[in-house]
Amino acid sequence: MTSPPHADVVLPCLNEAEALPRVLARIPDGWRAIVVDNGSTDGSADLARGLGAIVVHEPRRGFGAACHTGLTVADADIVCFCDADASLDPALLVPFVAEIRSGRADLVLGRRRPQGRGAWPAHARAGNLALARMLRRRTGLRLHDLGPLRAARREPLLALRLADRRSGYPLEMVVRAADAGWRITERDVPYLPRAGASKVTGTWRGTWQAVRDMSRVLAAPPASCSGRPGAGSPSAVESAGSAAHRAGASR
C-alpha cells in the first residue's frame, strides 16, 4: 500500500506552461502536486503530467472552481494552495504545514511581500487593502493579506461547505473559518513577478471584479458549519514574521 503524501498542494492552472516547470520543481519531497487545469490551451495539462503532477480538469471557469476541485481530489490530511504562475514558491509551505501539524494554527496564510517592480501592481494592492478592511469589520480579524498561499486540514476545510466558485473563494475560506472559530495565522512570504499575463490582478477591471466577488462573500450571513478542527481560544490572527516585525506591525 502506498503511504499517503505528507501534504497535497493544489495548483489552479490556466495557461501556465511557462511557469509550471519552476513551480513543480519546488514541491517539497514527499508531497504531491495536484494541477487543476481550468481550460488551458497552451499544453499546461500535458506538461504538468509529464513532470509528475496529478492533473485533473475543471471545465467550469473560475479560480474557486479549480481550487475546490483540487480540494475534493486531494486525500492528504493537510491540503495547501498555491498559484501556478511562479509568483509564489510552494517550498515556503513547509513551515505552514508544520504549524498545522503542531496544533498551533488551523489555517495558515501567506502574507505577500513583493520582491521587485511589477510583483504586485498598485491597483491589486488597493483591492487587497480594501478587502482586508471589510474582512476586519465582518469578522474582527486583523489580516494584512488575502493571498492564495495557504494550508489547512482537508476534512475541516470540506466541512466549511465553501460555495463560491469564482474570485471570492479564498476570502470565503477565511470568513467561514473565522465563523467556526479557527485559529488563523499569517507568515511573511516573498512575492515575485508572475510568469505570463495575469488573469485577474493584471488589470483594474479584473481586480475590481474580484473585489465585487469578495464583497458578496462578506455580505452573506454567517453560514452554519462545523466547529474548528482544534481546541483552544476563540479565533485570532497572529503574524508569524520576525519578532521585530510583530512588535512593530500596525494592526
Side-chain angles (χ1 to χ4, degrees):
M1 179 180 297
T2 303
S3 60
H6 295 308
D8 282 330
V9 184
V10 174
L11 298 155
C13 175
L14 176 59
N15 293 328
E16 302 292 4
E18 181 181 347
L20 278 171
R22 280 179 283 166
V23 174
L24 294 176
R26 298 290 294 166
I27 299 294
D29 291 341
W31 294 25
R32 185 172 62 173
I34 301 175
V35 173
V36 185
D37 186 71
N38 204 205
S40 297
T41 58
D42 66 347
S44 288
D46 290 339
L47 176 62
R49 193 177 294 109
L51 292 171
I54 292 174
V55 176
V56 294
H57 296 274
E58 173 47 69
R60 295 172 298 170
R61 188 64 63 87
F63 182 79
C67 286
H68 202 74
T69 292
L71 175 61
T72 60
V73 168
D75 59 16
D77 178 41
I78 296 178
V79 178
C80 306
F81 298 85
C82 181
D83 279 351
D85 59 11
S87 61
L88 293 162
D89 183 349
L92 296 169
L93 288 162
V94 170
F96 288 42
V97 169
E99 197 168 346
I100 299 294
R101 289 198 188 283
S102 70
R104 298 193 305 272
D106 303 313
L107 174 63
V108 183
L109 307 173
R111 180 185 182 185
R112 292 170 289 183
R113 296 293 194 174
Q115 309 291 307
R117 296 185 61 184
W120 202 354
H123 54 271
R125 292 198 205 192
N128 188 74
L129 178 61
L131 288 166
R133 288 173 174 169
M134 288 189 284
L135 177 70
R136 181 176 180 180
R137 289 196 294 268
R138 164 67 173 75
T139 67
L141 295 175
R142 298 185 177 187
L143 284 171
H144 300 86
D145 191 11
L146 299 170
L149 198 71
R150 54 188 61 195
R153 293 191 183 274
R154 176 179 179 273
E155 291 299 329
L157 275 177
L158 289 170
L160 293 178
R161 297 196 290 272
L162 303 178
D164 191 277
R165 294 296 181 264
R166 294 181 14 144
S167 300
Y169 187 87
L171 176 61
E172 185 184 19
M173 184 185 295
V174 176
V175 170
R176 297 309 175 209
D179 288 346
W182 289 25
R183 292 159 298 180
I184 303 171
T185 66
E186 287 186 317
R187 300 186 70 93
D188 289 354
V189 295
Y191 190 48
L192 306 174
R194 62 156 291 142
S198 173
K199 287 79 176 175
V200 177
T201 58
T203 66
W204 278 99
R205 180 178 180 182
T207 296
W208 291 112
Q209 178 61 57
V211 170
R212 286 195 294 270
D213 288 347
M214 295 183 184
S215 297
R216 285 193 290 269
V217 170
L218 291 168
S224 174
C225 55
S226 67
R228 54 181 283 186
S233 59
S235 172
V237 177
E238 175 187 351
S239 171
S242 66
H245 174 72
R246 285 199 300 270
S250 174
R251 295 291 188 170

